[in-house]
Amino acid sequence: NSPFLTVSNPNNSSYYFMLFYVSGKIVRLISDVKSNQIEIERGNLSKGIYLFKLHGDKVIYGKMMVE
């Protein structure tokens, strides 16, 4: 599992990234992201499936697994 999440951001628009448990509790919030890659520190995340939301010009939802 790569510690990076890569997104298409050709205009370097500002957006924020939210990572949360399936229950809805927010685990990470990274604001004012302007690159096309986010490094996700997984050192203290429990194994399992997480949901994420990228909010900027568009809103993108997805999921990731921590092993």
Side-chain angles (χ1 to χ4, degrees):
N1 279 353
S2 171
F4 295 99
L5 176 66
T6 302
V7 297
S8 176
N9 190 14
N11 298 328
N12 291 327
S13 301
S14 179
Y15 60 94
Y16 68 87
F17 170 81
M18 292 173 53
L19 181 67
F20 46 97
Y21 294 119
V22 176
S23 67
K25 181 180 177 185
I26 297 174
V27 178
R28 297 269 161 73
L29 176 61
I30 304 171
S31 59
D32 200 30
V33 178
K34 294 183 181 173
S35 69
N36 66 345
Q37 198 171 61
I38 302 168
E39 183 173 7
I40 302 166
E41 294 291 332
R42 293 185 280 181
N44 62 350
L45 293 177
S46 302
K47 291 181 181 182
I49 297 174
Y50 293 82
L51 304 175
F52 66 83
K53 175 182 176 182
L54 294 167
H55 190 276
D57 292 340
K58 298 178 183 178
V59 178
I60 300 169
Y61 294 94
K63 64 182 175 180
M64 61 179 260
M65 179 179 282
V66 174
E67 296 179 338

